[in-house]
Amino acid sequence: MSQEPRAVRDLVATVRRTIQERGLFKGGERTLLAVSGGPDSLAMLHVFARLAPQFDWDLHVAHFDHRLRDGSGADAAFVARQAAALGLPATVRAAEETAPIPGRSPEETARDRRQSFLQEVAEGIGAVRIATAHTMDDQAETILMRMLFGTGPRGLGGITPLRWWYVRPMIDARRAQTVAFCRALRLRPRIDPTNEDPAFRRNVIRNETIPFLQSTLNAGLTESVARLGDILRDEDHYLHGLALSQAPPEPNPGGGSRLPVEAIRRLPVPIQRRAIRYLFSVEGHEAGSAQTEAVRQLVVSDKPSGSVDLGGPLSARLEYGFLVVSRAPSPAGSPTPVELAVPGETELPTWGARARTWISSELPASLPDGTRECVVDAGRVTFPLRVRRWRSGDRFRPLGMTRQKKIGDFFTDQKVSRSMRGEVPLVVDDGGTICWVVGHRIDDRVKDSPRTTKFL
């Protein structure tokens, strides 16, 4: 049996080392490979085919055709042929819509639609991992772009090798390695011409900025920036955990989230900022440094009350010894219920929020408490699910109770003011069961049990 070319052996060894050292797989997972047909993802496909026996993987290939340029259909056909040649099942789908989602850029729209597709396919086949082919070069480009256009310590951590069900097994490989791998196996990857378009910031950084810095200052720039990302990501994870342990946000009875002012004041200044930023993020707001500092200054002042305008639907204010971040009350009314994409993401403009849903056959390591996230038995709900406001007379059975309760009475017990009750989203199934009073509790009838096979 002839030995494979060195370029092939080197990339396989790099990916194997990344998987083992970064703990990306336990072994035996059903894994979805996101393959565009370019050099990186094509190399990943063939590397995984070689490593599958060692890790006992059950592989499935997925390709999403955005239909945004000529030749995209040929890319899809190419990926399907590559999967078939390796004896792997593949799901290939073309986008039904090409226009951007209102309020989202074309790039964000493409990413959201691709992720929704991947999550749907993963749920359909029971995959617990989705592998993407981001390389060390992608990592360096991401970190430099964020550095140039503004970010914080978390953003400088770059692309996370393992995040939820997404894994990046190529993150320690260089793009030159994937190109050499494909050449050694006489593979002919598809080339996306938009990767050369200088209208995109990333392309300028990839094709002009990094080559200039490498030729004039540091030939090992990509490796240096990637190492920086690893260090900052580890430190951010530690400091984030420290902030949460010292000042964990809690639901505010009147809506939104809150932190005790005294708990924030006791923290060192850097951890104060992290606690405040996380409080914002719980309410779906990414705070800038100026906003964070303005709120911090309010907290450490001697003022018993006050507020900071966040320039949007949210406000930050001191209230009865707490820093509260919440939406201002909306005018009375009953907007049309919004149907949730399952799986996928759904904008909820009435509440200034976005919902993300997915279904898994794997029991979560820990069950959320039903405030910002929840887990229910997918077999106990009737699809589709919708989000709507509270209506007088609504009832549900709060988790742990054997009888139904009026939601109005439940709000009274939870100290939710009447002016804020319309701001609480309710997730309702097609049979009328109120599955989740968001921010508070799920219905006992939809909780998971030892017989649950699909977790929503």
Side-chain angles (χ1 to χ4, degrees):
M1 182 176 179
S2 61
Q3 191 179 51
E4 291 197 297
R6 180 174 180 178
V8 174
R9 289 184 280 117
D10 285 350
L11 184 59
V12 171
T14 298
V15 174
R16 181 190 293 112
R17 184 169 58 252
T18 295
I19 290 170
Q20 293 172 336
E21 292 181 355
R22 295 187 184 272
L24 303 186
F25 294 90
K26 298 176 183 177
E29 292 94 340
R30 178 165 292 177
T31 300
L32 185 66
L33 303 178
V35 180
S36 68
D40 299 339
S41 64
L42 184 61
M44 180 181 72
L45 170 62
H46 283 263
V47 167
F48 266 59
R50 284 162 168 74
L51 291 176
Q54 176 182 345
F55 291 96
D56 190 28
W57 287 323
D58 181 1
L59 302 177
H60 191 106
V61 178
H63 175 89
F64 188 66
D65 177 7
H66 294 285
R67 295 174 50 228
L68 295 176
R69 58 178 175 81
D70 294 338
S72 64
D75 293 351
F78 171 78
V79 171
R81 290 196 300 272
Q82 288 291 317
L86 293 171
L88 298 177
T91 300
V92 177
R93 184 182 303 170
E96 296 180 0
E97 297 287 340
T98 58
I101 297 171
R104 309 284 283 170
S105 70
E107 294 80 9
E108 291 171 331
T109 296
R111 182 193 62 207
D112 290 349
R113 287 174 176 159
R114 181 172 61 253
Q115 287 184 344
S116 293
F117 161 72
L118 292 173
Q119 291 162 18
E120 180 182 342
V121 176
E123 186 278 326
I125 66 171
V128 296
R129 290 286 185 269
I130 300 175
T132 65
H134 293 91
T135 65
M136 185 185 294
D137 296 78
D138 294 311
Q139 181 72 291
E141 291 161 11
T142 298
I143 293 171
L144 283 173
M145 184 162 62
R146 292 176 178 176
M147 185 185 301
L148 290 170
F149 295 103
T151 189
R154 176 163 297 178
L156 291 177
I159 302 167
T160 306
L162 172 60
R163 183 171 175 79
W164 298 316
W165 51 89
Y166 283 98
V167 290
R168 279 78 185 219
M170 311 283 284
I171 201 68
D172 297 315
R174 294 297 307 273
R175 188 170 293 134
Q177 285 183 273
T178 68
V179 172
F181 179 97
C182 291
R183 186 181 298 119
L185 291 180
R186 297 183 180 179
L187 301 173
R188 300 184 66 181
R190 304 290 296 181
I191 303 301
D192 184 351
T194 61
N195 288 337
E196 303 299 321
D197 187 348
F200 298 100
R201 288 176 174 177
R202 181 179 289 273
N203 291 343
V204 175
I205 290 173
R206 172 184 299 166
N207 301 323
E208 299 179 26
T209 306
I210 290 179
F212 172 77
L213 293 174
Q214 288 174 327
S215 64
T216 58
L217 295 174
N218 181 5
L221 177 74
T222 297
E223 290 84 355
S224 297
V225 173
R227 281 196 301 272
L228 173 66
D230 281 340
I231 293 169
L232 291 179
R233 196 166 50 251
D234 288 343
E235 293 187 355
D236 178 76
H237 181 74
Y238 171 77
L239 293 174
H240 176 72
L242 185 61
L244 281 183
S245 68
Q246 298 297 315
E250 60 186 63
N252 183 53
S257 301
R258 68 183 188 181
L259 283 173
V261 169
E262 286 304 319
I264 304 174
R265 288 175 177 169
R266 287 194 297 266
L267 299 173
V269 172
I271 308 301
Q272 288 179 350
R273 295 192 182 108
R274 286 177 173 271
I276 292 169
R277 279 200 302 270
Y278 185 69
L279 182 62
F280 289 152
S281 69
V282 168
E283 292 301 311
H285 180 76
E286 292 298 324
S289 58
Q291 289 180 328
T292 302
E293 187 60 20
V295 173
R296 194 186 74 82
Q297 289 296 334
L298 176 63
V299 170
V300 299
S301 70
D302 294 329
K303 298 177 181 178
S305 62
S307 63
V308 173
D309 181 8
L310 300 180
L314 292 178
S315 69
R317 61 192 183 276
L318 299 184
E319 211 172 69
Y320 303 111
F322 288 90
L323 170 63
V324 178
V325 175
S326 70
R327 284 169 52 86
S330 298
S334 300
T336 303
V338 179
E339 185 171 320
L340 289 181
V342 182
E345 293 190 357
T346 308
E347 296 293 337
L348 302 171
T350 297
W351 297 273
R354 180 185 302 167
R356 184 206 301 272
T357 67
W358 65 93
I359 297 178
S360 174
S361 57
E362 201 174 70
L363 176 67
S366 61
L367 294 176
D369 60 8
T371 53
R372 301 303 166 194
E373 298 180 353
C374 78
V375 172
V376 303
D377 185 334
R380 293 187 175 187
V381 301
T382 306
F383 295 99
L385 299 178
R386 296 178 177 87
V387 180
R388 65 167 172 83
R389 282 182 174 168
W390 164 69
R391 300 168 185 163
S392 179
D394 276 340
R395 294 173 176 269
F396 85 129
R397 186 190 298 173
L399 181 65
M401 296 183 65
T402 57
R403 294 183 178 180
Q404 292 194 50
K405 185 176 190 131
K406 285 186 176 180
I407 290 185
D409 294 339
F410 176 77
F411 282 152
T412 299
D413 295 342
Q414 297 292 306
K415 296 183 176 157
V416 178
S417 65
R418 291 187 180 275
S419 64
M420 296 302 298
R421 293 180 182 184
E423 300 308 307
V424 178
L426 305 183
V427 178
V428 184
D429 78 357
D430 200 46
T433 299
I434 296 173
C435 305
W436 184 22
V437 179
V438 180
H440 297 275
R441 207 172 301 178
I442 65 170
D443 189 289
D444 193 80
R445 293 167 293 184
V446 299
K447 67 183 179 183
D448 68 285
S449 73
R451 296 186 299 278
T452 301
T453 58
K454 289 190 175 183
F455 301 87
L456 167 63

